[in-house]
Amino acid sequence: MFNLKFPVVILITILCFIGAAQGLDADEVARKSLYQLILAEDKEAETKALAELNELGDPIIIDVVEAWRVGKIQASEEKQEVYLEVGLNQYENLLTASLVTPAPDSKKQRASRKLRKELSRMVDLLDLKSPDNAKRIYSAEKLGMGQNPDYLDVLRELTDKQTNSGVKEAFQKAVAVSLLKNGTEEEKLESVKVLGELHAFMARDLLAAMQKEAVLSKDQELAKACAVSIKEIDGRQKLLDWVGTFFRGLSTGSVLLLVSYGLAITFGQMGVINMAHGEFIAIGGYSVYLVQDYVVQNYGADSVMYEWYFIIALPFAFLTTAIAGALLEKGLIQFLYKRPLESLLATWAVSMIMQQALRLYFGAANVSVSSPEWLSGSLNVGGILMSYNRIMLIASAIVVVIVTRLLLSKTNWGLHVRATMQNRQMASSLGVPSSRVNMLTFAFGSGLAGLAGAFISQIGNVGPSMGQTYIVDSFMVVVVGGVGNLIGAAISSMGIGMVDQVLQPLLGPVMGKISVLFMIIIFLQFKPGGLFPARSRSLDD
C-alpha cells in the first residue's frame, strides 16, 4: 500500500530548505549592497547601492547603518574589506559575517551629511516593508503622524500593495493624516471624511485643531466635515469603552467566580465557615511556582516543556490543595459541623498557621511566576485589547461551572453530597457513607480554591497573603447568590464584577469598592436570602 507520509515529509523538508535559502539570500544581498555603498567611489555607485537597499527589508541594514553613524564601521582600501564592530575589540567581515581581525590599514568610515540624510530616510521606510504586520502598522502610523511630505508618495505607493486588511487600513489612515497638512483643499476635505469613516483615533486632535482653523477662516464645509468625523470617532471610542468595560467586568467576575466557587461548596453546601479558604488559594499559586521552578531547572526556560508547565501545574495545584483540604477536614472540621462559630475561630487559627508556614518556607516576599509564551500578549479585536490571560480566565470559569454542575447532578457522588448536606443523619441511616462524602466534598471545594490560585498566579502576585485579598469577596459572592446555590454564586460573581468595573472609572478604585459593598448591604436588606434563597422542608428551619 502506498504510504503518503514519506512524500509529505520530503515536501516539507524541501520547503524548509527553500525558506532558509531565501532568508540567507536576502541577508547576503543586503550585506553586498551595504558593502558596495560603504566603498562607493562615485555618485553613480552610491545611488545604485541605495536603490538596491531601498528594495530590501533585511534587519541587518538598520544595524549596519546605525554602526556607520556612530563610527563602528572600518574599511581597508588595500584588501577592499569592510568590518563591522560587534563587540569590544570584536569585528565581523561585513560580506562573510565571520569574526576577523581588521587589516592594518583599515580606517573608520564616516558617511557624508547628505548620505546620512538618505540613510535616515531609508531606515525610516524600512519597516514599511517588514514581513511583520505589527511593524508595518506602527511604521505607517508613525510616518503618517509626522506629516512629512517626503514620505507621502511612498505611503501612497505601498497602500495598494498591502494584502492584509488591517495593515492596509493603517496605511490609508497614514496617507489621510499626511494629506491634512500636505494636500490640496479638495484632498484635505476628502481626508477628513476618510479619517472619520476609518475611526482614526490618532487623528482626533488634528481634526479638532483643523475644525478650529476652519471656523476662524469661515470654511463651513470643512468645519462641518471635521465635526462629523470627530463625532464618528468619539462614537466608536464610546462603543469600545463600553465593550472594554464589559470584558473587564467579565474578567473580574470570572476571578470572583473561581475564588468563590470552592467556598460556595464548603460554606454554602456544607455550612462550614472556612476562614482558611484564602490560604488554599495561596497553596494553588505556590504549586504553579514549584512546577515552573522544576521545569526551569531541569529543562530550561527556553524549552518546549516550559510552554506546557502551566497545563501540568493545574492538576497538581488541584490535587495538592484537595489533599490539604481532606487532611483539614479529617483532623478538625469533622468535629465542628453544626457549630459555625467554633468552625470560624478554628479555621481562622489554621489560616494564621498556614500563612506563617508559607512565609517560613517560601519567604515573606512574593515569588515570581511567569506566563508561557502562548499566554503572553493580547488579542486585538476591533481596537479592543484582550489579554490571553484574561480570556483563559473567562474560559476556565465557564469550564469550572459546567464540570461542577455535572459532578453534583449527574454522578452518584453528587447525589450522596446533596443527600448528606440536606440531612446527614438520614443519609447515614440509608447507607450513604456520610463521613467519606464530607471529606471528599471539603477536599473538592479546597481543590477548586487551589485551582483559582493557579489561575490568579498568571495575572497577579503569588505570596503568603495572596488569598486574603479575595476572602471577603468570596463570602460576599456566596451570600449575594444565595447560600448553597452554585448558580446563584456564578450569577452574583459576574454581577459584582460588572458593577465594580463600571463604578471604578467613575468613582476611583477605593470609592468604587465602597459603593459596591454599600449596594450589597442595601440588596441584602430587601433579600436576606440572596438571589436564590435556600428552601428546605426541615422542621429545624
Side-chain angles (χ1 to χ4, degrees), residues 14 99 140 215 247 259 276 475:
I14 292 172
L99 292 176
V215 171
F247 175 74
V259 301
F475 278 103

Side-chain angles (χ1 to χ4, degrees), residues 141-158:
E141 291 179 348
K142 178 183 175 183
L143 295 179
M145 290 299 291
Q147 296 183 313
N148 189 329
D150 294 339
Y151 300 141
L152 182 57
D153 290 339
V154 178
L155 288 170
R156 275 175 161 166
E157 180 186 348
L158 293 176

Side-chain angles (χ1 to χ4, degrees), residues 479-480 518-533:
V479 172
V480 171
F518 185 69
M519 292 169 65
I520 290 172
I521 291 170
I522 294 176
F523 172 78
L524 291 176
Q525 291 296 315
F526 293 95
K527 295 205 68 173
L531 290 173
F532 301 98

Side-chain angles (χ1 to χ4, degrees), residues 192-267:
V192 168
K193 295 177 181 178
V194 168
L195 291 171
E197 292 170 358
L198 296 177
H199 306 108
F201 303 116
M202 64 182 185
R204 206 269 185 202
D205 292 340
L206 294 175
L207 291 174
M210 178 171 279
Q211 184 186 18
K212 290 181 181 179
E213 292 177 3
V215 171
L216 292 174
S217 62
K218 297 183 180 180
D219 188 341
Q220 298 297 326
E221 186 178 9
L222 182 59
K224 185 179 178 181
C226 288
V228 171
S229 293
I230 291 173
K231 186 177 180 181
E232 289 179 348
I233 292 172
D234 289 345
R236 174 56 67 91
Q237 184 64 59
K238 288 180 180 178
L239 175 62
L240 293 181
D241 289 343
W242 186 88
V243 176
T245 299
F246 177 79
F247 175 74
R248 290 192 300 272
L250 201 61
S251 172
T252 303
S254 298
V255 173
L256 290 175
L257 188 149
L258 287 169
V259 301
S260 65
Y261 229 53
L263 192 67
I265 292 174
T266 57
F267 175 52

Side-chain angles (χ1 to χ4, degrees), residues 125-431:
L125 299 175
L126 197 61
D127 281 343
L128 291 177
K129 301 170 185 177
S130 170
D132 186 346
N133 289 340
K135 282 187 177 181
R136 293 213 304 278
I137 290 173
Y138 175 78
S139 180
E141 291 179 348
K142 178 183 175 183
L143 295 179
M145 290 299 291
Q147 296 183 313
N148 189 329
D150 294 339
Y151 300 141
L152 182 57
D153 290 339
V154 178
L155 288 170
R156 275 175 161 166
E157 180 186 348
L158 293 176
T159 298
D160 295 331
K161 296 180 180 180
Q162 306 306 315
T163 55
N164 182 280
S165 59
V167 177
K168 188 170 186 176
E169 185 176 302
F171 273 76
Q172 290 172 340
K173 290 177 183 177
V175 171
V177 169
S178 185
L179 285 173
L180 292 180
K181 181 179 179 181
N182 306 306
T184 63
E185 294 301 318
E186 292 78 11
E187 288 176 330
K188 289 181 180 179
L189 182 61
E190 183 62 29
S191 296
V192 168
K193 295 177 181 178
V194 168
L195 291 171
E197 292 170 358
L198 296 177
H199 306 108
F201 303 116
M202 64 182 185
R204 206 269 185 202
D205 292 340
L206 294 175
L207 291 174
M210 178 171 279
Q211 184 186 18
K212 290 181 181 179
E213 292 177 3
V215 171
L216 292 174
S217 62
K218 297 183 180 180
D219 188 341
Q220 298 297 326
E221 186 178 9
L222 182 59
K224 185 179 178 181
C226 288
V228 171
S229 293
I230 291 173
K231 186 177 180 181
E232 289 179 348
I233 292 172
D234 289 345
R236 174 56 67 91
Q237 184 64 59
K238 288 180 180 178
L239 175 62
L240 293 181
D241 289 343
W242 186 88
V243 176
T245 299
F246 177 79
F247 175 74
R248 290 192 300 272
L250 201 61
S251 172
T252 303
S254 298
V255 173
L256 290 175
L257 188 149
L258 287 169
V259 301
S260 65
Y261 229 53
L263 192 67
I265 292 174
T266 57
F267 175 52
Q269 295 280 343
M270 302 180 70
V272 176
I273 303 176
N274 181 19
M275 296 301 293
H277 182 75
E279 280 55 54
F280 286 114
I281 294 173
I283 290 174
Y286 277 113
S287 297
V288 175
Y289 167 72
L290 290 174
V291 173
Q292 175 194 255
D293 189 55
Y294 176 83
V295 171
V296 169
Q297 289 186 6
N298 290 274
Y299 299 95
D302 297 328
S303 64
V304 177
M305 191 68 178
Y306 186 81
E307 294 300 312
W308 289 94
Y309 94 85
F310 184 66
I311 301 298
I312 299 169
L314 290 179
F316 179 72
F318 179 85
L319 291 173
T320 302
T321 47
I323 292 171
L327 293 174
L328 179 61
E329 197 279 338
K330 276 300 181 186
L332 181 65
I333 300 298
Q334 68 170 332
F335 306 110
L336 300 175
Y337 290 121
K338 299 294 184 180
R339 297 164 66 184
L341 292 179
E342 287 89 339
S343 68
L344 186 151
L345 290 173
T347 53
W348 178 74
V350 170
S351 167
M352 296 296 102
I353 294 170
M354 291 174 70
Q355 274 194 53
Q356 192 58 35
L358 291 172
R359 284 192 181 92
L360 290 173
Y361 189 82
F362 294 102
N366 294 333
V367 296
S368 176
V369 176
S370 303
S371 299
E373 188 176 349
W374 58 276
L375 278 179
S376 303
S378 301
L379 178 67
N380 192 333
V381 180
I384 302 170
L385 292 178
M386 302 181 180
S387 69
Y388 293 122
N389 279 329
R390 298 282 178 176
I391 294 173
M392 177 204 65
L393 268 175
I394 295 171
S396 302
I398 294 171
V399 171
V400 166
V401 171
I402 293 173
V403 171
T404 304
R405 178 71 176 176
L406 291 175
L407 283 174
L408 292 177
S409 62
K410 301 295 183 181
T411 64
N412 288 332
W413 172 73
L415 180 63
H416 290 166
V417 169
R418 286 180 282 128
T420 304
M421 296 311 108
Q422 288 181 19
N423 193 316
R424 284 186 177 84
Q425 293 180 346
M426 181 62 72
S428 296
S429 66
L430 292 174

